[in-house]
Amino acid sequence: MLFCFASWGWWRATQPIEQSLRPLVRLDVDLGPDVSLSSFAGTDAILSPDGTRLVYVSQGRLFTRRLDQSSAAELAGTQGAYAPFFSRTGSGSLSSREET
């Protein structure tokens, strides 16, 4: 009995895990002429985990834009922001910030 259980466990562990594949999407977003993406510390732009929102740093300030909308909104109090990232749950955007 133990041999059968161990054999089944080994067989199951060697089987590939089936995951649903998401389609690959190409993204081309015009951020406008006033946006400057040039950070020395990490990435300047990041896409939300659900693919609906873009967060980026321009001129040391953090902006967010839904991809189904044409304009971005500056997030208040983000002067000196760099390297944006999303929270582990994907519910909010965060960034590193230089203290002055």
Side-chain angles (χ1 to χ4, degrees), residues 34-47:
D34 298 334
V35 175
S36 171
L37 300 177
S38 60
S39 175
F40 296 109
T43 185
D44 286 325
I46 188 165
L47 194 59

Side-chain angles (χ1 to χ4, degrees), residues 15-95:
Q15 299 304 305
I17 298 172
E18 292 186 30
Q19 296 178 353
S20 61
L21 297 177
R22 295 182 184 175
L24 184 60
V25 177
R26 181 183 173 135
L27 183 64
D28 185 11
V29 179
D30 182 6
L31 299 176
D34 298 334
V35 175
S36 171
L37 300 177
S38 60
S39 175
F40 296 109
T43 185
D44 286 325
I46 188 165
L47 194 59
S48 65
D50 65 0
T52 62
R53 182 176 299 276
L54 178 70
V55 175
Y56 62 93
V57 176
S58 176
Q59 302 170 3
R61 297 184 321 254
L62 199 60
F63 293 84
T64 182
R65 177 178 160 193
R66 289 188 52 85
L67 294 179
D68 61 354
Q69 297 177 349
S70 61
S71 62
E74 181 179 351
L75 298 176
T78 60
Q79 188 65 30
Y82 63 93
F85 59 95
F86 279 88
S87 64
R88 289 184 179 157
T89 61
S91 61
S93 61
L94 308 168
S95 75

